[in-house]
Amino acid sequence: MNFHEYQAKQLFADYGIAVPAGQVARTADEAVAAAQAIGGDFWVVKAQIHAGGRGKAGGVKLAKTLDQVREYATAMLGTKMETYQTAGVALPIEQVLVTQATDIAKELYLSVLVDRGTQAVTFIASSDGGVEIEKTAEENPDALHTLNVSYVQGLQAYQCRELGFAMGLNAKQVNQLTKIMLGLFKLFNDRDLALVELNPLAILTNGDLAVLDGKVDSDDNAAFRHPDLVALRDIAQEDATEALAREHDLNYVTMDGDIGCMVNGAGLAMATMDVIKLEGGSPANFLDVGGGATKARVTEAFKLILSSDDVRAIFVNIFGGIVRCDMIAEGIIAAVKDVGVRIPVVVRLEGTNVQAGRDLLKSSGLDIISADDINDGARKVVAAAKKAA
């Protein structure tokens, strides 16, 4: 689950990490009131969406007067914004963050994540931060410093100091970085996060470090332990179909193809999409219905797939391990009837009671195309989609 910048900064503050004064606003009047409450002569008005790259897209503005605060907030609120991180989707701007403006001498980068390769919580830092961090990683990877934290010992202060000096910071800044890193490490573990990114972590003209922007992603598998984080979820920033799938405990990701996929098991689902591509087709979604592919789950899965007008055929690829193939076939037949599917459906079943399941599909009287294996199914569904185009 992703969080807005203002929510991330509140989490930082809860763990003793200093952030510039700021208030979130949902109207232009609230934005002006926020600027007045913060005080000073300069403010930054920042669009709140679940994506980076807002500055390049016009979502970060420096206001020198209260009239400009109102102007920028009015221009942003109620509109949609697309950045290079939104994959072509424009996200709604329903609130802006008004923050205290700061004088920046240099922008740094700092993130925390789980590195699967080393099986460790890992810090990645660079003395070259800001909007070009992706370019830095590509063109000058030596500018990135990596610190893998021992699961047994945890993050040690001396490791933070070593990283700070490697980034070219002075003694005062290294001490500040150490406090920030120790706070982030505790936050990351306490709240079961998947990613924390500070970009920029800035050196101000007075020499102090300041967290000017932050991104936080949590691990959905630990959501049951953190109802307070779940309460921060902004469904308006999510794909509507994916949000609906989550309500039914279905793993669904929207894609831009025309072949709907219904599979049980994430590995099999990815293999299914690969084979469809190999046969010249294009998947419309990733959908894992899980091991217990009941009638209710299969019905909801069909509804999700058919919510897209682009889908021209559906490939159901199920391995009957936990649930028998004949039970899965009964669920597919009932779901096709209940939902009223009007496009070709190709079904490949394998596993326990597979022949009984195939017999049920054959005798159902429905226009269901049976496949012998995953490759046969992919060929048939690609052909069906092309014929329906």
Side-chain angles (χ1 to χ4, degrees):
M1 185 175 70
N2 296 326
F3 299 86
H4 286 295
E5 176 193 351
Y6 76 91
Q7 295 168 330
K9 285 183 172 178
Q10 182 57 59
L11 289 172
F12 299 155
D14 292 343
Y15 281 78
I17 301 170
V19 295
Q23 293 184 19
V24 68
R26 292 170 177 79
T27 67
D29 288 340
E30 288 183 5
V32 172
Q36 292 173 323
I38 293 168
D41 299 320
F42 299 95
W43 305 271
V44 182
V45 182
K46 310 176 78 173
Q48 297 298 283
I49 61 172
H50 285 176
R54 291 169 294 162
K56 286 185 175 181
V60 179
K61 296 290 188 180
L62 177 64
K64 299 180 180 180
T65 66
L66 293 176
D67 286 341
Q68 284 188 334
V69 171
R70 182 182 298 277
E71 175 189 346
Y72 296 145
T74 300
M76 294 178 192
L77 290 167
T79 65
K80 292 186 176 182
M81 176 172 291
E82 179 181 339
T83 79
Y84 68 91
Q85 291 190 5
T86 62
V89 178
L91 299 177
I93 304 174
E94 298 180 344
Q95 49 214 346
V96 296
L97 176 64
V98 181
T99 68
Q100 186 180 55
T102 54
D103 294 322
I104 302 172
K106 185 175 178 58
E107 294 183 336
L108 313 176
Y109 174 87
L110 180 67
S111 65
V112 194
L113 48 82
V114 176
D115 183 351
R116 295 187 178 185
T118 60
Q119 299 182 9
V121 174
T122 300
F123 282 84
I124 299 175
S126 175
S127 56
D128 297 324
V131 295
E132 301 296 337
I133 185 61
E134 289 87 357
K135 185 176 180 180
T136 298
E138 180 180 350
E139 298 181 355
N140 187 21
D142 291 339
L144 299 178
H145 305 276
T146 302
L147 169 61
N148 297 316
V149 182
S150 168
Y151 176 77
V152 176
Q153 296 177 336
L155 181 64
Q156 302 295 307
Y158 79 89
Q159 295 175 305
C160 304
R161 292 192 291 269
E162 288 179 348
L163 183 63
F165 284 121
M167 295 170 65
L169 304 182
N170 61 36
K172 178 184 176 182
Q173 293 161 352
V174 165
N175 287 334
Q176 293 175 341
L177 178 68
T178 299
K179 181 178 180 180
I180 291 171
M181 290 180 64
L182 290 172
L184 287 181
F185 185 70
K186 182 171 176 55
L187 167 64
F188 191 88
N189 287 285
D190 285 355
R191 310 311 290 271
D192 292 307
L193 302 182
L195 170 70
V196 177
E197 186 177 56
L198 310 184
N199 189 30
L201 170 63
I203 301 176
L204 305 182
T205 52
N206 65 5
D208 289 334
L209 296 185
V211 177
L212 300 190
D213 199 354
K215 178 180 180 180
V216 171
D217 293 348
S218 67
D219 186 343
D220 289 347
N221 294 307
F224 70 96
R225 290 206 291 251
H226 305 286
D228 56 330
L229 294 184
V230 175
L232 300 178
R233 181 184 176 197
D234 186 352
I235 297 179
Q237 296 291 313
E238 302 176 15
D239 179 274
T241 307
E242 293 177 13
L244 181 60
R246 185 177 299 186
E247 294 180 8
H248 295 286
D249 294 324
L250 295 170
N251 297 311
Y252 183 98
V253 178
T254 300
M255 302 177 72
D256 56 5
D258 60 0
I259 297 176
C261 301
M262 185 191 308
V263 191
N264 65 332
L268 183 59
M270 289 186 286
T272 300
M273 293 190 295
D274 287 343
V275 177
I276 288 174
K277 291 290 288 186
L278 185 64
E279 295 294 336
S282 183
N285 63 273
F286 167 98
L287 174 55
D288 173 16
V289 296
T294 63
K295 172 189 173 182
R297 292 176 68 84
V298 172
T299 299
E300 292 302 329
F302 270 112
K303 290 179 180 178
L304 288 170
I305 293 172
L306 293 172
S307 65
S308 170
D309 295 332
D310 297 328
V311 175
R312 294 190 173 94
I314 299 174
F315 186 15
V316 180
N317 188 14
I318 301 291
F319 178 81
I322 299 175
V323 181
R324 302 194 317 265
C325 287
D326 54 332
M327 294 180 63
I328 295 171
E330 290 173 356
I332 293 172
I333 293 168
V336 170
K337 290 180 178 178
D338 290 350
V339 177
V341 180
R342 298 286 185 268
I343 59 176
V345 177
V346 177
V347 178
R348 176 258 186 172
L349 295 178
E350 193 58 73
T352 306
N353 286 4
V354 62
Q355 192 56 52
R358 291 174 179 173
D359 291 343
L360 284 171
L361 293 176
K362 186 176 181 179
S363 62
S364 67
L366 299 174
D367 187 18
I368 296 176
I369 304 170
S370 179
D372 296 330
D373 54 44
I374 185 173
N375 293 291
D376 182 48
R379 285 191 291 270
K380 288 178 176 177
V381 78
V382 170
K386 289 180 178 179
K387 185 176 180 180

